Amino acid sequence: MLTFTFRRLLYAIPTLLFISLVIFLLLDLAPGDPMAQMPLTVPDEVKARMREALGLGEPIHIRYWKWLVQFFWVEPLHMLDSLLGTGFAEGSQRILSWQTRSPVVDIVMQRMPQTLWVVGTAYVVAILIAIPVGIYSAYRQYSLFDQAGTFVTMVGFSVPPFFSGVLVIIIFASQLGWFPSIYDTRLVVDSWSDFGLQVRQMFLPVMVLALQITSQLSRFMRASMLDNLNQDYVRTARAKGLREKTVVLVHVLRNSMIPVVTVIALGVPSIFGGAIITEQVFKVNGIGQLLITAIQGNDLPMVQTLTFIFAVLIVLFNLIADVLYGILDPRIRYD
Amino acid sequence: MKTKSALLCAVASFAMAPLAHAQDAGGERGRDGQLNILYWQAPSILNPYLSSGTKDVESASLVIEPLVRFDENGEMVPWLAEEIPTVENGGVSEDLTSITWKLKPGILWSDGTPLTAEDVVFTWEYCTDPEGGCAQAQYFDNVTNVEAVDDETVKITFNMPKPFPYTAFVGSESPIIQKAQFENCRGAAAPTCTDANFGPIGTGPFMVEDFRPNDVVTLTANPNYREEGKPAFASVNFKGGGDAAGAARAVLSTGEYDYAWNLQLSPEVLDQLSAAGLGTVVAAYGTSVERIEINQTDPSASLGDERSTVAHPHPFLTDPAVPAAMSKAIDRQLLVDIGYGPGGQPTCNILPAPEAYASTANDDCLNYDPEAAKAMLEEAGWVDEDGDGIREKDGVRLSVLFQTSVNAVRQDVQALIKEDWENIGIETELRSVDASVFFGGDPSSPDTFQKFFADVEMYTNNFAGVDPQAYMAGWRCSDIPSPETQWQGQNVPRFCSEEYDALVDELGDTADIEERGEIAKRLNDMLVQNYAMLPLIHRGNPAAHANTLGGIRMNDWDSELWNIADWYRISE
Amino acid sequence: MTNAHAPETPVGADRGTVAASAPVAGSEPILLTQARSQWWDVWDQFRNHKGAMAGAAVFLLIVLVVVFGPYAWPFDPTETNIRSRNQGMSLTHPLGTDQLGRDVFARMIQGGRVSLAVGMTAMALSLVLGTLIGVLAGYFRRLDGPLMRLTDLFLALPLLPLLLVMVLLFREPLTAAFGIETGIFILIVSAIGITSWMQTARIVRGDVLALKEREFVLAARSIGTPARRIVTRHVLPNVLSPIMVSATLGIATAIITESALSFLGLGFPPDFPTWGRLLNDGVPYLELYPGRAFWPGLAISLVVLSINYVGDGLRDALDPRIRGR
């Protein structure tokens, strides 16, 4: 198991390098212009000079090499510097965003808290709701609870957040005035009243996001439980006289969790990726909003760095999912 | 149309009337607490010399200021300058090659140091550094030298006579930055000065406390601001993100914010949100005109590299009867009613403002008349021979590809125009292109507005400031985009006329304001009457403000927030 | 451009994406005489599943309306009529008219054709791809590494730039070859298909990994059954349920992704209604004319719900342990 993990980690390095190259080429091939958002009143020569200043004139392999060096050498050094107060990275060029002309990594770190708060909370809430709902729906298949659950989750899934988000804003912010419709990223939680504010401003986006995630997870949970409930070992366990609770919550649940764990683990990178639409509707301005504004503004260094960070997380959590498989299901052999 | 705009102004001032009664009582600086502003496109940098995005320029205008601003009528107001230099008062040299500015005495930067002529000179040096890629370099075109005569006097020299010398340091796009702060940030070093770019020290009413790019700016009142008792607000929360509908809702319906910008929304939606009684929608009119550009060249894909170049004239759009009929068949007032509401008026001019430059010769286009349009086509020999509803002549079918950028209002307008044109027998295919591609200058993309691989396309253009010379010069033959120029150039419709070029040159030699106005009108009429473009809507910039917010004077000639120092909270 | 509703994050979007089941939905096995009794059993079982029958009926009804509606309905979906805009429900316009006076019901029918076609085809494509790659990776250890790295690559790719590149490269040749609507249809379907199979592949692979070590598979292998037969006879039927879930969720995702694409100008021409686009266009009018967002929302939900019930019924019917119970 350990060797398997190590080998996979080693394999991950060339994979990630390859991914970074593909992303780079893709972004470079895609049509678009960082100057597109400038007003048309700006003359073409000025735009051309601004592009020069961004380094767009250089050939692609040089830009890629520069990015690699900056991402894998300068940025880690810089992080070390800010931790230890040393000066290793002094004078070296960091990855600069084209839109803001400032280091990309600093902005990403600035955006992390709100994304983790909102999307992370929604994910946890969704897991906590989806698993029991999935279990009970499967156990009492076609009961009223199951039917209602199916209905709600399917509607929840088929309604996109640009609709449900605006709907809850109209109901809870405009009409009832219970919750704010705009998330204040400047809020620092250092007292109970601030915590109350934080909960209030998180409530609507978390609700919208959690509804979506719950819908998906509970469907997978239910399907997986249904598969296992009819297995022979369940009949054996019941025949042995085990209590129903033990049969369902220990035997069946453990086996049903295998595919669900994959889905959960694979979803974790998306917590860091944020949720573009929900963040936009509630003005949470987290990573998702950062990515979409960078894409719209053709801020290639920002898009490249963000997507590569996602790629690292995805590869990492794929590995974690595989390891979890092995732990949950001893029959799976990795060697 | 004039009466209409006058009427609209009257309505606007009437709407402002109740606010005028609740006059600002005055008082100490910072008495009104926090002001909440929502720009749904968030500012990404506060240095307008590195980004000319409207959001960046306008947010920076709270902090850094130019010598002169434009007021809501497009007239110059001395800001950091003592007065407007003219030939009469000796500020502009007789041969029009230099201008001398005097700064107001005693102005301090927010860090307490005095503003001097050196700062102005430095600003010029900063923006004209060849390695800097300055976003506002066009303001310093033809400037050969900027020198500090003394601490409060700056002399700008041009390499040719400038009949309109008020470009450098005029308007929100070329403000003065502090030399001490930006000294080490010139040229290639510009992006390394993140702190300065995110928190410029300024002379304006507010100073930056915290800047989060593309998210939120926190500003506080500048303790060294030159006017006693201003600004009335102690701090500004300048939030970004979301979309126009959400921003309108936050001001008009939930009342969480005091001011929201650029609310390009359907008039019905704005009316419905305003019904809550918390806020008001106001609009400022500048020179923005939504227009349909008529491709004078043939965009057929079969031409390969010579597509949309002057080598091949357009098979039917060069027949004036066709675009004339297309113009006549468009119901401009309806486009306003459905798409623009308070943010638009129908227009027949490419140059709709300022008043002195606006022609009245083309106003007939406002009369929607599809029957007349059909008659025009019949007369020119375009008839439907095969009975498929589409007119032909000599084997050429009237079939146009109509492209624009992705935007809900534009797509509605496209659908309406398509209906109008098909009604008179012109087949219309619609296409919408992502704005970042459409307005981008990527020479490898076939979808940019400058390549114009379509028969007609619709977008808005305008010019900064109040002088149309550079704008009108954009339709000279030499400015036609082509493969040789990497498809760069302002003359998107590929209009070419020697007469027009000569008139543009004449404008460059004329100093008298009234004469300039006459020439500009003639230029405008030539463009419109030769059907290089079909002007549709004179677009305003609609914004919403809370009813408790006073002092707003909407302005499209400068930053919308140009007079934020005078804003105040209306006490109930 | 600004209020572009992008699809959820390139990574986040595919939490539970994907696709219909060609192997399940197929009717062709009925032709095989030796299998006839088995599929007859399946049908018997399916017929007794009330939810599934109701779902199938609703789905068929929607398909019928959408397919034959344009021939029976007098209004054209793109015809504007300014005099009768923003009307409420009436006999002439059962769902009212929109801001340009277009008949909402006609637009719903037209939108349904596109959305259903896009949803089903894209789902089928991503399901086939996902299942194929998942089974190959899970069953053949040598393929596991490369295929899973490929999956990682696709999961990591930013969706939006990828689509921009695809549109740039393929729009002109496709529209030239198939005409504008079919060309863009192919483009969108393949775009959604190839960016949404990864989740299915991961899940299927996980299940196959576990199944591979189960006794019946070991038994089949020990008597020398060729790998292809083991996969089709023993493995595939046992991974049906996660595939079914993916399929039902995938239709909704495909329909919604299509709306986001159209909105960004990467999809169908602007005067070409789809359910997702109608929903999107209706949102600003939510308080004024709630119907405009409600009807397309309801249509999407109904389709997803009915397919979900059909999927449930199919899964039960295909499970030999339940059948005949």
Side-chain angles (χ1 to χ4, degrees):
Chain A
M1 195 75 198
L2 212 59
T3 44
F4 165 79
T5 314
F6 271 122
R7 212 181 51 212
R8 277 288 300 273
L9 276 175
L10 273 181
Y11 273 139
I13 294 169
T15 312
L16 283 172
L17 280 177
F18 181 69
I19 289 178
S20 79
L21 178 66
V22 172
I23 297 175
F24 199 89
L25 290 175
L26 191 66
L27 291 177
D28 198 73
L29 259 178
D33 177 9
M35 298 296 123
Q37 286 187 332
M38 302 285 127
L40 295 180
T41 50
V42 180
D44 290 333
E45 309 88 70
V46 174
K47 286 188 192 165
R49 253 176 291 153
M50 289 177 74
R51 282 188 210 108
E52 290 284 290
L54 295 176
L56 259 168
E58 290 175 47
I60 181 163
H61 57 274
I62 296 194
R63 279 185 286 139
Y64 179 59
W65 175 248
K66 271 191 177 167
W67 179 84
L68 274 186
V69 171
Q70 286 168 352
F71 189 87
F72 288 103
W73 183 244
V74 180
E75 290 296 343
L77 275 189
H78 189 88
M79 230 174 263
L80 203 70
D81 285 354
S82 55
L83 281 179
L84 306 173
T86 49
F88 294 123
E90 202 104 336
S92 43
Q93 179 75 64
R94 300 180 64 190
I95 307 173
L96 292 182
S97 147
W98 286 349
Q99 272 187 319
T100 69
R101 305 293 185 92
S102 67
V104 165
V105 179
D106 291 356
I107 303 176
V108 174
M109 297 315 285
Q110 199 177 53
R111 294 302 181 92
M112 241 358 153
Q114 50 264 38
T115 290
L116 288 186
W117 265 107
V118 172
V119 190
T121 313
Y123 207 63
V124 173
V125 169
I127 294 174
L128 290 181
I129 298 176
I131 291 187
V133 167
I135 295 173
Y136 194 76
S137 300
Y139 188 65
R140 293 256 177 269
Q141 197 187 4
Y142 304 130
S143 66
L144 194 64
F145 181 88
D146 181 32
Q147 304 285 15
T150 305
F151 186 79
V152 172
T153 52
M154 281 297 127
V155 171
F157 186 75
S158 52
V159 172
F162 61 73
F163 175 72
S164 51
V166 174
L167 189 69
V168 296
I169 285 183
I170 289 176
I171 296 174
F172 293 103
S174 291
Q175 304 291 337
L176 298 172
W178 289 353
F179 301 102
S181 72
I182 293 175
Y183 187 96
D184 184 1
T185 49
R186 300 175 305 163
L187 185 70
V188 180
V189 178
D190 52 11
S191 68
W192 282 109
S193 65
D194 285 346
F195 183 74
L197 284 180
Q198 176 68 16
V199 170
R200 269 175 38 126
Q201 69 172 351
M202 272 170 52
F203 191 87
L204 293 182
V206 166
M207 186 165 106
V208 167
L209 270 178
L211 175 67
Q212 271 224 317
I213 307 172
T214 309
S215 304
Q216 305 176 30
L217 278 184
S218 67
R219 296 318 292 168
F220 279 108
M221 189 69 222
R222 176 176 177 274
S224 180
M225 282 292 286
L226 280 179
D227 267 2
N228 278 286
L229 276 169
N230 295 316
Q231 299 279 356
D232 292 337
Y233 71 85
V234 180
R235 206 171 304 160
T236 316
R238 285 198 178 118
K240 277 200 304 193
L242 287 179
R243 284 190 311 158
E244 189 64 12
K245 206 170 152 187
T246 323
V247 174
V248 176
L249 292 186
V250 178
H251 291 71
V252 181
L253 183 59
R254 183 170 163 168
N255 284 295
S256 315
M257 284 305 283
I258 296 170
V260 178
V261 161
T262 328
V263 180
I264 293 178
L266 290 177
V268 172
S270 71
I271 298 179
F272 294 89
I276 291 178
I277 296 174
T278 314
E279 285 188 5
Q280 179 141 332
V281 170
F282 296 96
K283 290 128 196 122
V284 176
N285 295 349
I287 302 283
Q289 191 258 4
L290 186 65
L291 181 68
I292 192 71
T293 48
I295 289 177
Q296 285 168 348
N298 271 285
D299 186 350
L300 298 195
M302 177 69 84
V303 180
Q304 167 80 13
T305 309
L306 274 179
T307 43
F308 186 67
I309 295 175
F310 296 155
V312 173
L313 288 171
I314 287 164
V315 170
L316 188 73
F317 277 92
N318 272 357
L319 176 61
I320 291 177
D322 278 351
V323 172
L324 279 177
Y325 267 4
I327 295 172
L328 285 169
D329 192 342
R331 284 170 307 190
I332 294 177
R333 287 184 315 218
Y334 296 115
D335 28 34
Chain B
M1 177 208 136
K2 272 265 185 49
T3 44
K4 191 150 220 144
S5 77
L7 211 74
L8 221 110
C9 287
V11 170
S13 54
F14 187 69
M16 294 296 279
L19 306 186
H21 287 302
Q23 251 319 327
D24 181 19
E28 68 198 67
R29 176 172 294 156
R31 61 190 174 278
D32 284 338
Q34 178 167 287
L35 171 66
N36 294 308
I37 299 179
L38 186 57
Y39 267 46
W40 54 268
Q41 284 177 350
S44 48
I45 190 165
L46 289 181
N47 181 350
Y49 291 110
L50 293 182
S51 166
S52 45
T54 315
K55 59 204 171 72
D56 306 318
V57 171
E58 298 205 346
S59 51
S61 76
L62 304 191
V63 180
I64 43 182
E65 301 174 305
L67 297 177
V68 169
R69 279 202 192 287
F70 297 103
D71 70 5
E72 67 268 38
N73 303 316
E75 274 154 30
M76 287 188 280
V77 183
W79 213 251
L80 294 177
E82 186 91 302
E83 58 171 357
I84 311 283
T86 57
V87 180
E88 288 77 49
N89 67 20
V92 177
S93 68
E94 286 292 334
D95 60 356
L96 306 175
T97 56
S98 74
I99 181 169
T100 309
W101 295 94
K102 270 203 105 46
L103 300 178
K104 278 182 187 164
I107 292 182
L108 297 179
W109 293 100
S110 59
D111 62 359
T113 56
L115 168 80
T116 70
E118 283 302 323
D119 293 308
V120 182
V121 175
F122 173 77
T123 303
W124 168 68
E125 288 169 350
Y126 179 87
C127 185
T128 48
D129 191 299
E131 280 178 65
C134 176
Q136 312 294 354
Q138 72 272 22
Y139 284 91
F140 300 98
D141 276 352
N142 304 323
V143 174
T144 49
N145 192 29
V146 178
E147 60 186 314
V149 178
D150 60 47
D151 263 5
E152 284 170 4
T153 314
V154 187
K155 185 176 174 206
I156 304 175
T157 316
F158 303 102
N159 60 6
M160 54 185 258
K162 272 269 207 185
F164 190 87
Y166 314 105
T167 50
F169 315 117
V170 175
S172 57
E173 289 178 332
S174 67
I176 315 293
I177 53 175
Q178 194 192 32
K179 181 178 182 182
Q181 191 187 19
F182 282 91
E183 202 152 24
N184 297 322
C185 305
R186 282 164 52 174
T192 58
C193 297
T194 306
D195 289 342
N197 294 335
F198 283 2
I201 292 171
T203 52
F206 292 95
M207 52 186 204
V208 184
E209 187 180 292
D210 179 36
F211 179 81
R212 294 169 181 236
N214 288 335
D215 180 13
V216 60
V217 197
T218 313
L219 303 112
T220 50
N222 173 2
N224 293 310
Y225 189 61
R226 55 187 175 273
E227 284 184 71
E228 199 60 37
K230 287 178 180 177
F233 291 97
S235 63
V236 175
N237 167 26
F238 201 107
K239 172 85 176 172
D243 53 27
R249 179 164 283 121
V251 172
L252 298 171
S253 172
T254 67
E256 288 165 274
Y257 274 71
D258 297 313
Y259 186 88
W261 151 93
N262 193 9
L263 304 179
Q264 222 20 276
L265 291 166
S266 141
E268 277 179 287
V269 173
L270 283 178
D271 284 350
Q272 184 261 329
L273 289 172
S274 313
L278 292 173
T280 313
V281 178
V282 287
Y285 282 87
T287 57
S288 298
V289 172
E290 181 90 9
R291 81 283 299 274
I292 292 180
E293 311 241 325
I294 309 275
N295 199 342
Q296 307 292 315
T297 62
D298 191 348
S300 337
S302 57
L303 294 175
D305 286 346
E306 296 191 341
R307 210 175 165 186
S308 283
T309 62
V310 283
H312 304 273
H314 197 280
F316 56 84
L317 288 175
T318 42
D319 175 355
V322 177
M326 287 163 92
S327 176
K328 208 71 190 130
I330 297 173
D331 187 351
R332 290 173 170 78
Q333 184 59 46
L334 182 72
L335 302 184
V336 169
D337 292 345
I338 286 180
Y340 292 90
Q345 304 157 4
T347 186
C348 297
N349 294 307
I350 269 315
L351 187 62
E355 198 100 356
Y357 299 99
S359 168
T360 48
N362 316 302
D363 288 358
D364 183 46
C365 89
L366 295 180
N367 303 319
Y368 162 64
D369 191 348
E371 292 314 315
K374 282 182 199 166
M376 282 179 205
L377 290 173
E378 296 283 345
E379 205 171 310
W382 295 97
V383 282
D384 182 12
E385 283 159 356
D386 51 11
D388 62 351
I390 308 301
R391 292 170 193 270
E392 303 82 0
K393 180 167 126 182
D394 309 330
V396 179
R397 267 166 66 89
L398 286 184
S399 169
V400 294
L401 173 62
F402 178 13
Q403 71 177 12
T404 188
S405 72
V406 176
N407 168 313
V409 173
R410 287 210 170 110
Q411 264 76 78
D412 277 0
V413 169
Q414 261 188 315
L416 288 171
I417 292 179
K418 175 180 169 149
E419 181 84 6
D420 285 335
W421 285 350
E422 299 207 320
N423 179 32
I424 60 165
I426 300 176
E427 186 179 51
T428 310
E429 184 196 319
L430 303 184
R431 183 203 279 171
S432 56
V433 183
D434 183 49
S436 75
V437 176
F438 191 66
F439 294 115
D442 186 350
S444 68
S445 165
D447 292 327
T448 65
F449 78 107
Q450 284 175 316
K451 275 200 178 168
F452 206 170
F453 288 172
D455 300 294
V456 293
E457 66 184 4
M458 178 171 70
Y459 62 90
T460 288
N461 202 351
N462 68 327
F463 59 94
V466 294
D467 183 60
Q469 184 181 331
Y471 184 57
M472 298 314 276
W475 286 284
R476 281 198 296 208
C477 300
S478 56
D479 250 10
I480 293 178
S482 68
E484 291 76 46
T485 63
Q486 273 74 50
W487 300 100
Q488 311 254 293
Q490 293 291 306
N491 191 350
V492 174
R494 286 106 166 107
F495 172 76
C496 188
S497 146
E498 276 172 32
E499 202 189 334
Y500 186 88
D501 287 9
L503 204 52
V504 169
D505 291 339
E506 196 185 326
L507 182 63
D509 297 334
T510 311
D512 181 67
I513 284 288
E514 258 174 50
E515 234 173 287
R516 288 175 71 79
E518 284 313 310
I519 297 176
K521 282 183 196 173
R522 273 165 61 202
L523 288 172
N524 169 72
D525 294 348
M526 281 171 86
L527 288 174
V528 175
Q529 286 161 12
N530 285 310
Y531 298 104
M533 285 164 279
L534 311 179
L536 298 177
I537 316 282
H538 181 195
R539 278 179 61 179
N541 221 339
H545 68 82
N547 286 339
T548 59
L549 190 61
I552 292 167
R553 284 158 72 193
M554 278 301 280
N555 185 344
D556 200 52
W557 306 101
D558 203 288
S559 162
E560 272 179 43
L561 309 172
W562 67 295
N563 71 335
I564 196 164
D566 301 335
W567 291 14
Y568 59 93
R569 180 80 62 202
I570 297 166
S571 37
E572 308 289 313
Chain C
M1 64 163 303
T2 51
N3 59 344
H5 294 304
E8 288 278 310
T9 48
V11 249
D14 10 75
R15 255 180 239 123
T17 322
V18 204
S21 72
V24 216
S27 51
E28 85 278 27
I30 294 174
L31 304 174
L32 305 171
T33 31
Q34 76 268 31
R36 184 192 179 90
S37 58
Q38 184 198 345
W39 290 101
W40 207 241
D41 280 355
V42 170
W43 167 241
D44 268 347
Q45 179 71 22
F46 185 79
R47 216 173 37 179
N48 290 328
H49 194 297
K50 277 194 213 107
M53 287 308 282
V58 170
F59 186 68
L60 270 179
L61 185 72
I62 293 178
V63 170
L64 285 179
V65 169
V66 154
V67 171
F68 297 105
Y71 305 106
W73 194 245
F75 293 99
D76 184 85
T78 55
E79 190 187 313
T80 55
N81 183 353
I82 299 309
R83 271 168 296 285
S84 61
R85 68 191 159 108
N86 292 328
Q87 286 188 351
M89 296 206 255
S90 66
L91 276 179
T92 19
H93 300 289
L95 303 184
T97 57
D98 71 359
Q99 75 276 14
L100 302 181
R102 295 173 292 203
D103 180 57
V104 174
F105 188 62
R107 289 173 73 71
M108 288 288 296
I109 294 174
Q110 179 66 30
R113 298 179 88 143
V114 183
S115 286
L116 280 183
V118 167
M120 308 285 283
T121 329
M123 174 190 73
L125 180 66
S126 87
L127 183 118
V128 170
L129 268 176
T131 312
L132 184 73
I133 291 178
V135 168
L136 288 180
Y139 195 81
F140 303 101
R141 198 181 309 132
R142 201 167 322 144
L143 292 177
D144 190 22
L147 284 178
M148 282 300 107
R149 297 301 80 76
L150 183 76
T151 315
D152 290 350
L153 174 70
F154 269 90
L155 278 170
L157 284 182
L159 185 65
L160 231 48
L162 180 72
L163 286 165
L164 280 169
V165 174
M166 286 185 61
V167 170
L168 173 74
L169 294 180
F170 304 119
R171 194 185 58 204
E172 296 266 324
L174 280 176
T175 48
F178 299 98
I180 176 126
E181 273 147 32
T182 324
I184 290 179
F185 178 81
I186 295 174
L187 189 69
I188 290 182
V189 163
S190 38
I192 298 176
I194 69 162
T195 50
S196 60
W197 53 268
M198 295 80 74
Q199 188 88 2
T200 320
R202 289 280 328 185
I203 296 164
V204 168
R205 169 182 169 270
D207 269 18
V208 172
L209 273 181
L211 275 172
K212 201 168 68 170
E213 309 295 335
R214 290 272 278 273
E215 296 75 5
F216 62 92
V217 177
L218 291 178
R221 201 184 302 155
S222 65
I223 58 168
T225 319
R228 199 175 55 82
R229 276 190 69 81
I230 298 185
V231 168
T232 50
R233 292 291 298 179
H234 301 292
V235 176
L236 269 185
N238 280 293
V239 293
L240 267 186
S241 65
I243 293 178
M244 290 312 307
V245 176
S246 285
T248 48
L249 297 181
I251 282 203
T253 316
I255 290 177
I256 292 163
T257 310
E258 184 278 317
S259 76
L261 290 185
S262 299
F263 193 82
L264 291 170
L266 304 173
F268 291 100
D271 56 341
F272 207 76
T274 69
W275 282 347
R277 190 187 196 103
L278 290 175
L279 176 60
N280 205 336
D281 290 350
V283 167
Y285 298 93
L286 208 51
E287 284 161 281
L288 278 170
Y289 311 107
R292 268 201 230 147
F294 175 76
W295 295 117
L298 180 77
I300 299 176
S301 298
L302 267 183
V303 166
V304 173
L305 264 176
S306 58
I307 292 182
N308 181 62
Y309 278 113
V310 173
D312 261 6
L314 263 182
R315 201 202 42 236
D316 287 359
L318 286 170
D319 190 336
R321 287 178 305 246
I322 307 184
R323 204 184 306 145
R325 222 177 34 188

